Every structure is written in C-alpha cells, then in structure tokens.
C-alpha cells in the first residue's frame, strides 16, 4: 500500500496520499486520528475518514450505514 508519494513533471509537483502512480496498491479508506487526552500517548479516536467512494466523513466514525447528514 502506498502511504505518501511524490512526482514532478512539466512544472507540476504532486503529492499522493493513499495511492498514486505506478502499480502500487491504493488505500481503500484513509482515516485520520487525534489523541483523546493530553496525559497519555496511547490510543486515539477517528476524527475523519475518506472512503473509497469519495465520501468525506468528519466527526463520526464511518460505517456501512452512515447517513447523508454525516457527509461534508
């Protein structure tokens, strides 16, 4: 799986997150986590998700039954 990649050509410089060029497997979901407290370094909570269908969910954990109200 490709995490982060870069490519530049003809005056353009691109950053690829979760997939990109060549024959590297792309991510099916991209999840963003932040920590839940200031006193511990373990754990965290999902804060945002980009699904393979292009949906962006913020503040609610994505699942197969998410509401359109969950989408930004």
């Amino acid at each position: 799986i490709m995490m982060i990649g870069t490519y530049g050509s003809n005056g353009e410089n691109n950053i690829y997150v979760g997939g990109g060029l060549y024959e590297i497997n792309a991510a099916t979901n991209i999840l963003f986590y932040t920590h839940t407290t200031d006193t511990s370094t373990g754990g965290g909570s999902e804060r945002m998700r980009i699904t393979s269908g292009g949906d962006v969910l913020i503040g609610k954990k994505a699942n197969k039954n998410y509401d359109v109200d969950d989408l930004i």
Side-chain angles (χ1 to χ4, degrees):
I1 294 176
M2 180 180 203
M3 255 184 18
I4 298 177
T6 61
Y7 179 78
S9 176
N10 299 322
E12 289 188 8
N13 297 305
N14 300 307
I15 297 174
Y16 300 93
V17 177
L21 302 174
Y22 313 111
E23 295 180 13
I24 299 172
N25 292 335
T28 55
N29 292 294
I30 300 174
L31 290 76
F32 297 84
Y33 281 77
T34 61
H35 202 280
T36 55
T37 68
D38 293 332
T39 58
S40 174
T41 58
S45 294
E46 182 179 331
R47 303 300 185 187
M48 185 172 90
R49 177 182 293 219
I50 303 172
T51 69
S52 60
D55 296 328
V56 176
L57 290 91
I58 298 175
K60 297 190 178 203
K61 187 173 181 181
N63 61 50
K64 292 180 182 178
N65 299 315
Y66 60 82
D67 251 334
V68 81
D69 292 336
D70 295 337
L71 304 176
I72 297 290

